[in-house]
Amino acid sequence: MAALSKSIPHNCYEIGHTWHPSCRVSFLQITGGALEESLKIYAPLYLIAAILRKRKLDYYLHKLLPEILQSASFLTANGALYMAFFCILRKCFVCGLERSCSDGFCFVELLWNLL
Ligand SMILES: [Zn+2]
């Protein structure tokens, strides 16, 4: 296990989120950015599709917003969970394996400490 941790000499700040040293802050920034960009993508896309399909007023009032939010939340979760698990797995392999990862509690502890 020590050989595995020594083969990866960089922390996640150096190779994952180079704009901020904190994993939590980087996770929140990625989540906010992903949400903003996904809304910019899906809101016009669903609106144009609804106009081209000549949807009725009922669709715009009751279905358009939930569909936009569903797609935007999926894309946001994709970006946010990528960064979260990058840091979690990085910490588990670099730090956790040197301690006591075999009992299964280190993953929960690392997740708790990260978030
Ligand atoms: Zn990190």
Side-chain angles (χ1 to χ4, degrees):
M1 294 299 166
L4 178 63
S5 65
K6 287 180 181 175
S7 67
I8 308 169
H10 306 287
N11 60 24
C12 59
Y13 168 56
E14 293 175 286
I15 59 173
H17 44 85
T18 57
W19 61 92
H20 200 280
S22 171
C23 296
R24 290 180 207 154
V25 172
S26 300
F27 171 75
L28 292 175
Q29 288 175 341
I30 285 280
T31 304
L35 178 63
E36 181 181 337
E37 293 302 319
S38 61
L39 286 174
K40 285 181 186 175
I41 292 169
Y42 284 116
L45 184 72
Y46 277 91
L47 187 61
I48 290 171
I51 291 170
L52 291 177
R53 291 180 181 167
K54 298 178 181 175
R55 298 279 189 165
K56 297 186 179 184
L57 182 62
D58 187 50
Y59 174 81
Y60 291 98
L61 293 177
H62 300 292
K63 292 184 179 178
L64 180 63
L65 186 60
E67 287 182 359
I68 291 171
L69 292 177
Q70 181 182 18
S71 296
S73 64
F74 171 75
L75 195 57
T76 302
N78 204 359
L81 292 178
Y82 172 79
M83 181 53 63
F85 278 97
F86 179 85
C87 292
I88 289 170
L89 294 175
R90 183 90 194 139
K91 287 183 180 189
C92 192
F93 280 116
V94 172
C95 301
L97 291 178
E98 292 177 352
R99 294 185 309 164
S100 60
C101 211
S102 60
D103 58 2
F105 287 108
C106 82
F107 183 76
V108 176
E109 179 186 337
L110 288 171
L111 182 64
W112 180 258
N113 288 336
L114 182 69
L115 301 175

